[in-house]
Amino acid sequence: MSQRKDNYRAALQRGQDVSAPRPTKVTALRSRYLRVTVEVDPDLRGDLTRWVGGPVSSVVLIGSTVLRTLAATVGRVSGPGS
């Protein structure tokens, strides 16, 4: 257990970049039995946008194509003369 703590502390010290500190949002939850601290990276929003942007735009393109095709088909089937 002590070795695990030492490894964790060493990793925390290695990960510190003093030249470019980034602001983090820290949320703390404290109770009698539990103490949790969650730090959220502010760049996470940009990363999510970059990762999800491609698939979402593909789904929107496919959906609009399907809707256009359906609208054209329905327009031909139930035209003004029907």
Side-chain angles (χ1 to χ4, degrees):
M1 187 68 147
S2 177
Q3 182 180 2
R4 184 184 298 172
K5 285 182 184 178
D6 292 339
N7 289 342
Y8 178 72
R9 288 184 184 137
L12 285 177
Q13 290 174 353
R14 262 194 322 267
Q16 303 273 333
D17 186 9
V18 180
S19 63
R22 296 185 340 198
T24 56
K25 182 178 179 182
V26 178
T27 303
L29 169 67
R30 294 184 183 145
S31 71
R32 182 175 174 187
Y33 302 105
L34 181 67
R35 182 176 173 184
V36 178
T37 301
V38 179
E39 294 185 22
V40 179
D41 185 6
D43 293 334
L44 179 65
R45 184 175 175 184
D47 291 342
L48 286 177
T49 303
R50 188 171 58 240
W51 296 334
V52 176
V56 168
S57 64
S58 297
V59 168
V60 168
L61 178 64
I62 291 169
S64 64
T65 303
V66 167
L67 288 176
R68 258 188 258 121
T69 305
L70 285 174
T73 304
V74 168
R76 273 190 251 131
V77 170
S78 62
S82 302

